[in-house]
Amino acid sequence: DIQMTQSPSSLSASVGDRVTITCRASQGISNFLAWYQQRPGKVPKLLIYAASTLQSGVPSRFSGSGSGTDFTLTISSLQPEDVATYYCHDYSTAAAAHTFGGGTKVEIK
Amino acid sequence: EVQLVESGGGLVQPGRSLRLSCAASGFTFGNYAIHWVRQAPGKGLEWVSGISWNSDTIGYADSVKGRFTISRDSAKSSVYLQMNSLRAEDAALYYCAKAGGAGSYYMGMDAWGQGTTVTVSS
């Protein structure tokens, strides 16, 4: 099975900072990757799919990049409402099984 | 408005069974894959199982393979998760989630229910 490794597991940054979260797949998954935001006590929300396509309604400060095994979620200017845990999600075709990364908790400094 | 409503959670003893339901509305149910994702208290998301729009593709996480069975009923716009031989480590909030595009199992999930809680304890 494919393993998804996210880093860091947590980070603290100031409002307005650029924040980068990485996700590494144990084998190539092309661009079959999504990113989700889960605010405390809330349901996960799709931010990005196909590695770099912004879901409708998601602020443009969020962006995704990468292909193959290495992927990045970037928040260009961190806002207070971005406090959340972020998850990557592999939905490639390997064995019809999907996989989530372990999550990255983002806090405001 | 897309809605997914889970039900069927509760307290169950180890080794027993439980059946979760996910009732969908607000979209053409028969065109979309549906997945189950769980989250243990204070832990991350874990994909559990998924079923394609036509039930041709079904997948399970290794942790539940052989114990859980997913199915769907288009007439009722519902997806089910039959959970047998439950273990303490299956305790979690179980979400159902809709694939982001019609006709494909291999997509992100763009709509989620509020979840139903499963507790496994003697």
Side-chain angles (χ1 to χ4, degrees):
Chain A
D1 288 359
I2 297 174
Q3 308 301 319
M4 304 298 291
T5 303
Q6 269 184 253
S7 61
S9 56
S10 66
L11 66 88
S12 182
S14 299
V15 173
D17 280 356
R18 183 181 185 89
V19 169
T20 299
I21 298 168
T22 64
C23 185
R24 175 163 288 176
S26 58
Q27 64 188 74
I29 60 170
S30 184
N31 69 337
F32 290 92
L33 186 106
W35 290 96
Y36 300 85
Q37 175 194 65
Q38 187 177 33
R39 292 179 171 133
K42 299 299 184 182
V43 170
K45 173 187 174 183
L46 178 65
L47 297 176
I48 286 168
Y49 62 95
S52 60
T53 302
L54 200 65
Q55 174 71 354
S56 176
V58 173
S60 59
R61 63 180 180 275
F62 291 93
S63 64
S65 64
S67 183
T69 60
D70 294 312
F71 302 87
T72 300
L73 173 70
T74 299
I75 308 172
S76 61
S77 177
L78 187 67
Q79 299 301 305
E81 60 266 32
D82 300 336
V83 169
T85 300
Y86 293 83
Y87 296 92
C88 62
H89 162 215
D90 154 48
Y91 53 90
S92 63
T93 58
H98 294 220
T99 309
F100 284 93
T104 297
K105 187 174 184 179
V106 174
E107 298 177 321
I108 299 289
K109 196 180 292 185
Chain B
E1 179 193 3
V2 173
Q3 279 201 316
L4 297 163
V5 180
E6 303 92 339
S7 60
L11 173 63
V12 62
Q13 294 178 327
R16 303 299 290 262
S17 299
L18 210 55
R19 187 197 196 208
L20 305 184
S21 299
C22 171
S25 61
F27 63 100
T28 306
F29 175 79
N31 290 350
Y32 291 86
I34 302 289
H35 299 269
W36 287 96
V37 177
R38 68 186 181 186
Q39 187 168 35
K43 302 296 184 183
L45 301 175
E46 180 187 13
W47 178 84
V48 174
S49 181
I51 186 166
S52 63
W53 65 278
N54 60 359
S55 303
D56 274 3
T57 301
I58 287 176
Y60 299 98
D62 285 346
S63 57
V64 306
K65 204 172 290 183
R67 300 187 298 123
F68 289 13
T69 302
I70 192 171
S71 62
R72 64 190 294 156
D73 183 339
S74 289
K76 295 183 178 180
S77 294
S78 293
V79 172
Y80 307 99
L81 188 68
Q82 177 67 42
M83 305 187 297
N84 298 333
S85 303
L86 282 160
R87 305 168 180 167
E89 55 265 35
D90 295 318
L93 180 63
Y94 282 73
Y95 296 104
C96 66
K98 166 190 163 289
S104 179
Y105 177 86
Y106 301 103
M107 303 198 73
M109 303 170 205
D110 70 346
W112 297 61
Q114 293 297 313
T116 186
T117 299
V118 173
T119 304
V120 183
S121 175
S122 53

